[in-house]
Amino acid sequence: MSASYILVVDDEPDIRDLVKEILEDEGYGVAIAENAAAAREARRAQRPDLILLDIWMPDTDGITLLKEWSEGDHLPCPVIMMSGHGTVETAVEATRLGAYDFIEKPLSMAKLLLTVERALDADRLARENQNLRRQQRIVTEPVGRSEVVQRLRAQVLKIAQHDAPVLVFGEPGTGKEVYARFLHAHSPRRNGPFVDVGVGSIARENASLELFGSEQGERIHYGRLEQASGGTLFLDELADMDLEAQAKLASALENGSFLRIGGKEPVRVNVRVAAATHRDLEQEVAIGRFREDLYYQLNVVPIKLPPLRDHIEDVPELLNYYIGYFVDQEGLTYRHFTLAAQNRLRNYNWPGNIRELKNLVQRLLILGGEEEITLEEVDAAVRGITTAKSQDVGSIPLNLPLREAREQFERTYLMQQFRECEGNVARLAERVGMERTNLYRKLRALGIDPKKALDE
């Protein structure tokens, strides 16, 4: 993993060079800029993890740069202000604009290094907290003691030590993101970011912007590829990526650089790509829906995940794991499966794989009252999975005005189809025969949030 990259902006050459030397001795990557124009160019060339910014410069002052660099109500990376002529008002204004701290000159190098370390740690923690709720719902290590899972875990640990792209295949619900996170956590990039992108949830016209960012004048939006710098970019449901974005990604992997939307100069990229799909990519290539060059670039190290029915002996351990998981994470009341109930589930086919098992455990903990989860409860729950669709549609009252009845039916219908598509908007659009933009408009009109629909 590459070291944190720091941009030092100061018009005094002695200070620039001294700070650069000290930071490099601490293992950081460092770029320097003597004025605002050079700072803008440095930010364009590579996304910094932190900026040390002098307030008083000959062309544009640091406060103006702070305003310019803010994205909405926040800065894209921590900024530490430096000044030998600062006032309380200046420090307050810098803090209001999002600066992490304010250091007075002459600089104390011990204080500078401590502030830099704390700022980077705080930024890392903030990024983790942004996804805290979602990450609590994610298992970060494969569960199971079967020979299949142990062999797969050993394979991923070996692959993790190398930096080659990884392509994870498997049926929906087999845990592709779990294995991608496991790979990242045991790789040399483990201290870098893990940025996950649900390709199917991105509107097709926004895919390139989301992945590669944009430039408009002096304003820069860093895409997911740059946000993952030094770490791992996980592309879930890769086959749903449009051909234009596929072409840009293929070029970025081939050249180690890319152009932001509206940009004119290439941006270097340092990231490992892990991609996942349940589709047959060779077939997608053959029918022209997936680029052959990108397929071969990503398929350097393929990982094939087995369906749960191929390691059914792991079911009891998975059941117990998810009981503990939901008791700890969601405060649900502890219950345990009887031996007969476990045996019933060992003989179930699990078409939805581990995701279906997880959802079943959550449902039984929420709805049940007794400490034991009985065979009868499990039978009813398994039967309910196959009959839910007809029950949902049949529950719409027939005494409603036509418009309200139609809206209720559309919402129920789309929610069911959305669950069957595993939350993938691209597959949902294909299944229901709607153009994706129109589908997003319909979902909004019906009050369905694609990011939260699977939790309903």
Side-chain angles (χ1 to χ4, degrees), residues 138-157 159-160 166-170 173-187 194 232 234 272 274-276 303-307 311 314 318 354:
I138 296 171
V139 183
T140 55
E141 183 163 341
V143 177
R145 301 180 192 176
S146 65
E147 183 179 343
V148 170
V149 171
Q150 290 191 46
R151 186 168 60 246
L152 193 57
R153 190 186 288 115
Q155 178 190 3
V156 173
L157 287 173
I159 293 169
V166 172
L167 193 52
V168 187
F169 297 91
T174 48
K176 293 184 281 292
E177 183 172 351
V178 171
Y179 279 92
R181 288 183 178 273
F182 184 65
L183 175 89
H184 172 75
H186 292 83
S187 75
F194 180 94
T232 301
F234 175 61
R272 181 182 199 167
I303 299 173
K304 175 68 174 176
L305 301 189
H311 56 110
D314 287 324
L318 284 162
I354 295 173

Side-chain angles (χ1 to χ4, degrees), residues 160-408:
Q161 304 313 307
H162 305 277
D163 220 24
V166 172
L167 193 52
V168 187
F169 297 91
E171 294 180 7
T174 48
K176 293 184 281 292
E177 183 172 351
V178 171
Y179 279 92
R181 288 183 178 273
F182 184 65
L183 175 89
H184 172 75
H186 292 83
S187 75
R189 294 177 174 268
R190 65 179 67 90
N191 293 322
F194 180 94
V195 176
D196 61 312
V197 180
V199 176
S201 66
I202 303 173
R204 187 169 292 267
E205 62 273 16
N206 292 334
S208 291
L209 176 65
E210 184 81 10
L211 288 173
F212 304 103
S214 64
E215 294 180 32
Q216 188 174 12
E218 301 299 340
R219 298 192 67 83
I220 299 173
H221 165 67
Y222 296 113
R224 297 297 188 93
L225 201 59
E226 284 183 271
Q227 293 173 28
S229 181
T232 301
L233 177 70
F234 175 61
L235 299 172
D236 195 14
E237 290 307 337
L238 174 73
D240 292 325
M241 184 178 292
D242 69 273
L243 288 171
E244 179 186 351
Q246 288 180 34
K248 291 199 69 170
L249 181 59
S251 175
L253 294 176
E254 177 72 23
N255 302 315
S257 63
F258 64 93
L259 287 174
R260 301 188 190 100
I261 305 300
K264 298 179 180 178
E265 296 294 331
V267 178
R268 300 297 300 173
V269 61
N270 171 28
V271 67
R272 181 182 199 167
V273 175
T277 183
H278 72 282
R279 297 194 198 176
D280 183 340
L281 285 188
E282 287 189 0
Q283 183 179 352
E284 296 290 307
V285 169
I287 61 180
R289 286 202 299 227
F290 199 83
R291 290 181 63 96
E292 185 175 25
D293 54 351
L294 181 58
Y295 170 63
Y296 287 117
Q297 284 170 326
L298 292 174
N299 196 31
V300 176
V301 187
I303 299 173
K304 175 68 174 176
L305 301 189
L308 182 53
R309 59 185 173 274
D310 286 356
H311 56 110
I312 204 73
E313 63 269 37
D314 287 324
V315 164
E317 184 175 351
L318 284 162
L319 293 172
N320 290 330
Y321 176 86
Y322 280 112
I323 288 172
Y325 178 82
F326 286 117
V327 169
D328 291 341
Q329 297 293 341
E330 298 191 4
L332 298 181
T333 302
Y334 174 82
R335 307 183 72 202
H336 67 88
F337 288 86
T338 64
L339 187 58
Q342 290 188 41
N343 287 335
R344 169 70 174 90
L345 294 176
R346 286 186 63 153
N347 290 296
Y348 178 57
N349 195 44
W350 297 110
N353 294 297
I354 295 173
R355 183 186 289 119
E356 181 184 356
L357 182 146
K358 177 184 176 182
N359 292 343
L360 179 69
V361 171
Q362 185 180 27
R363 188 181 314 123
L364 290 169
L365 292 183
I366 290 172
L367 298 177
E370 302 298 324
E371 184 174 335
E372 282 192 338
I373 302 173
T374 65
L375 173 62
E376 291 73 23
E377 269 189 276
V378 167
D379 269 335
V382 170
R383 285 196 303 272
I385 293 169
T386 59
T387 60
K389 182 177 179 179
S390 60
Q391 289 174 349
D392 284 347
V393 174
S395 66
I396 297 175
L398 298 179
N399 60 349
L400 293 174
L402 178 60
R403 180 177 177 179
E404 291 182 29
R406 184 172 62 242
E407 286 181 356
Q408 281 201 28

Side-chain angles (χ1 to χ4, degrees), residues 387-456:
T387 60
K389 182 177 179 179
S390 60
Q391 289 174 349
D392 284 347
V393 174
S395 66
I396 297 175
L398 298 179
N399 60 349
L400 293 174
L402 178 60
R403 180 177 177 179
E404 291 182 29
R406 184 172 62 242
E407 286 181 356
Q408 281 201 28
F409 171 78
E410 287 179 342
R411 191 177 197 282
T412 301
Y413 168 77
L414 288 172
M415 285 290 293
Q416 178 62 33
Q417 298 295 329
F418 197 60
R419 284 191 287 266
E420 293 182 8
C421 291
E422 308 292 339
N424 188 298
V425 176
R427 294 212 307 277
L428 176 63
E430 186 177 335
R431 174 179 282 209
V432 303
M434 292 181 70
E435 196 275 330
R436 199 188 303 193
T437 302
N438 294 333
L439 176 59
Y440 273 110
R441 192 176 297 118
K442 171 64 73 174
L443 293 175
R444 283 197 298 271
L446 295 172
I448 300 173
D449 184 346
K451 296 180 180 178
K452 300 178 181 178
L454 290 184
D455 295 332
E456 296 187 18

Side-chain angles (χ1 to χ4, degrees), residues 50-53 66 69 75 77-81 98-102 119:
L50 181 143
I51 300 174
L52 289 167
L53 177 60
L66 270 184
W69 291 344
L75 292 163
C77 72
V79 177
I80 299 171
M81 307 301 293
Y100 175 79
D101 206 343
F102 186 98

